[in-house]
């Protein structure tokens, strides 16, 4: 009876947060923790992923400083030039752009700035915008598990390193697996839905003057300091990867580092933000008003609440979970990817999902290769059509081709998302078997 009540609290808090959306996902997680504590569960701050939250905040600080200096607009300009090379291939080019930007930035929020460009270029090429938009949003979510500075990757590395799988090996599997999965997914996406000119919704909106016509690309002049801010940020990423390599057990050039990897990432990102402000002479107070900062801080609260909620519940029942799930996962290890898939669709965070479930999976006895191969499944944030970048794609497509159906799950992101995750898991297993 008590377990049933606690399950109701757990899923009730998650569903409530999903319905409220945005930062309220974290608020609902905190409410769930409080209610679980009142049922007798042990609540401790040790279950809060402060390292994950710290990395998110520090990376967001550096990106916000870059955005303030005009660096994000410069990157979008470069992306736009690439996308406009061949508008008819926008379904292939768009996910490459969003994947790359997310890998470099460590946050999928960079996709917001490219979505309007994707819609416009798709219209120029007479391509149904839902096709490139859906795969581009999915690619930005998948790229989180391949970014050297994302909180999810850093946490996953900390879980796998005691088992002999290092940070560089993790990236060596995730980068090619998630990138290669883009191409079959784009091919399938390009065959979903009616062609734009045959879509009755588009024709009706066009007839009523609700569809904006593509306009020539405006002449762009990079503001002073924009290119410098991008250079500083990219240099910081290179420094992070170089330092992680030097202190790794595989290389071992610095056997007893005074600054561990997670702390180094946070310090380097904060230092990069400071250098950007000094070089570009921007006002630090303005960072608080940037879109990236607001989205990033909201994500930090969401991870805090949701991960705390999930970890509290799992740690309380860890022995029962080991008993029940251990044999099942040993017999059917692919089920770990399925569990992560559905958990991520509710938790709305790759880092929170990994934090809540991966330690339990390792404790059950799941092999390092299985855990590594299942890792891309934590990117299933598209199942419910309420994730910010997904909603933004729907809102920005005034052709009406990117729309949510009557049955909630019948939206254009579900098929590309499932395909991309399935391919990434298969590729991760194949590549991982060679790398580790």
């Amino acid at each position: 009876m008590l377990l049933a009540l606690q399950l109701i609290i757990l899923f009730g808090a998650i569903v409530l947060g999903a319905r409220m959306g945005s930062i309220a996902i974290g608020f609902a997680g905190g409410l769930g923790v409080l209610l679980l504590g009142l049922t007798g569960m042990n609540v401790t701050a040790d279950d809060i992923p402060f390292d994950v939250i710290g990395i998110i905040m520090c990376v967001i600080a550096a990106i916000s400083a870059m955005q303030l200096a005009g660096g994000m607009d410069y990157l979008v300009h470069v992306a736009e030039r690439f996308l406009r090379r061949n508008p008819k291939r926008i379904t292939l080019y768009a996910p490459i752009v969003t994947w790359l930007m997310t890998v470099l930035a460590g946050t999928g929020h960079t996709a917001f700035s490219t979505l309007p460009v994707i819609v416009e270029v798709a219209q120029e090429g007479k391509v149904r915008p839902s096709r490139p938009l859906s795969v581009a949003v999915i690619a930005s979510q998948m790229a989180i598990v391949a970014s050297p500075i994302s909180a999810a990757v850093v946490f996953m590395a900390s879980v796998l390193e005691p088992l002999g799988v290092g940070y560089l090996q993790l990236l060596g599997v995730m980068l090619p697996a998630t990138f290669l999965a883009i191409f079959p997914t784009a091919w399938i996406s390009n065959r979903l839905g009616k062609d734009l000119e045959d879509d009755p919704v588009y024709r009706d909106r066009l007839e009523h003057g609700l569809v904006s016509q593509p306009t020539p690309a405006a002449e762009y002049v990079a503001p002073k300091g924009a290119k410098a801010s991008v250079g500083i940020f990219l240099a910081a990423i290179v420094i992070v990867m170089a330092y992680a390599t030097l202190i790794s057990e595989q290389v071992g050039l610095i056997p007893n580092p005074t600054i561990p990897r997670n702390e180094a990432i946070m310090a380097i990102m904060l230092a990069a933000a400071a250098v950007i402000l000094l070089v570009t002479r921007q006002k630090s107070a303005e960072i608080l008003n940037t879109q990236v900062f607001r989205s990033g801080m909201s994500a930090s609260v969401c991870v805090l609440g949701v991960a705390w909620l999930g970890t509290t519940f799992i740690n309380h029942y860890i022995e029962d979970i080991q008993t029940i799930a251990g044999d099942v996962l040993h017999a059917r290890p692919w089920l770990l990817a399925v569990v992560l898939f559905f958990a991520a669709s509710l938790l709305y965070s790759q880092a929170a999902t990994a934090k809540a479930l991966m330690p339990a999976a390792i404790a059950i006895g799941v092999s390092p290769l299985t855990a590594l191969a299942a890792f891309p499944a934590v990117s299933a944030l598209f199942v419910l059509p309420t994730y910010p970048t997904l909603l933004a794609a729907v809102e920005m497509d005034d052709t009406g081709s990117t729309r949510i159906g009557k049955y909630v799950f019948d939206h254009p992101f579900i098929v590309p998302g499932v395909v991309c995750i399935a391919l990434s898991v298969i590729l991760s297993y194949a590549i991982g078997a060679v790398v580790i």
Side-chain angles (χ1 to χ4, degrees), residues 72-408:
M72 285 298 298
D73 290 337
Y74 174 69
L75 287 176
V76 171
H77 167 67
V78 173
E80 182 176 2
R81 288 178 58 188
F82 174 70
L83 293 173
R84 290 187 185 278
R85 285 184 177 182
N86 192 334
K88 290 191 178 298
R89 293 187 177 181
I90 183 66
T91 307
L92 175 62
Y93 289 174
I96 293 175
V97 168
T98 54
W99 181 88
L100 182 59
M101 291 183 69
T102 301
V103 164
L104 294 176
T107 170
H109 294 299
T110 54
F112 282 113
S113 54
T114 60
L115 295 179
V117 179
I118 293 170
V119 172
E120 189 166 301
V121 175
Q123 287 183 263
E124 288 179 9
K126 304 297 181 182
V127 175
R128 181 183 178 90
S130 65
R131 294 169 178 173
L133 282 174
S134 60
V135 69
V137 168
I138 297 304
S140 72
Q141 294 179 358
M142 296 301 304
I144 290 294
V145 301
S147 172
I149 56 174
S150 77
V153 166
V154 174
F155 173 76
M156 190 64 181
S158 68
V159 171
L160 292 178
E161 278 174 342
L163 304 177
V165 180
Y167 171 78
L168 296 178
Q169 290 173 303
L170 173 61
L171 290 175
V173 173
M174 290 299 114
L175 282 167
T178 55
F179 182 72
L180 292 174
I182 286 175
F183 299 98
T185 305
W187 184 84
I188 291 173
S189 297
N190 224 17
R191 284 153 179 77
L192 297 177
K194 295 181 179 180
D195 289 340
L196 185 61
E197 295 180 350
D198 297 330
D199 190 327
V201 174
Y202 167 70
R203 295 170 68 174
D204 181 68
R205 291 180 64 83
L206 188 64
E207 185 179 330
H208 289 84
L210 299 176
V211 180
S212 59
Q213 297 303 311
T215 56
E219 189 67 28
Y220 172 80
V221 178
K224 185 179 180 181
K227 294 181 181 179
S229 68
V230 173
I232 294 167
F233 183 77
L234 294 180
I237 296 176
V238 172
I239 293 171
V240 165
M241 295 190 68
Y243 184 76
T245 302
L246 293 174
I247 67 173
S248 67
E249 293 184 1
Q250 290 82 1
V251 177
L253 291 179
I254 305 178
N256 296 303
T258 55
I259 308 177
R261 185 191 57 243
N262 292 10
E263 287 77 359
I265 292 174
M266 290 186 274
I268 290 169
M269 286 294 117
L270 290 177
V275 173
I276 289 173
L277 291 179
L278 289 171
V279 171
T280 62
R281 298 184 179 182
Q282 298 293 327
K283 295 181 180 179
S284 58
E286 293 299 319
I287 286 180
L288 306 180
N289 299 321
T290 63
Q291 182 266 329
V292 170
F293 186 85
R294 293 195 299 270
S295 298
M297 294 307 110
S298 173
S300 297
V301 174
C302 291
V303 170
L304 189 158
V306 170
W308 194 10
L309 173 67
T311 306
T312 297
F313 182 89
I314 288 174
N315 283 350
H316 184 76
Y317 287 107
I318 187 63
E319 292 182 2
D320 298 309
I321 292 172
Q322 289 173 338
T323 301
I324 296 171
D327 293 337
V328 174
L329 286 177
H330 277 298
R332 298 177 179 83
W334 54 270
L335 281 176
L336 176 59
V338 176
V339 171
L340 293 173
F341 180 95
F342 286 106
S345 69
L346 295 173
L347 297 180
Y348 283 97
S349 167
Q350 293 92 335
T353 304
K355 177 71 176 179
L357 296 177
M358 277 299 185
I362 298 298
I364 289 170
V366 168
S367 72
L369 178 58
T370 298
L372 179 64
F375 185 39
V378 303
S379 295
L381 313 184
F382 54 83
V383 178
L384 295 175
T386 52
Y387 196 73
T389 48
L390 189 153
L391 289 176
V394 173
E395 293 170 4
M396 291 177 185
D397 181 10
D398 58 6
T399 69
S401 70
T402 312
R403 54 184 181 267
I404 299 169
K406 297 179 181 178
Y407 305 105
V408 182

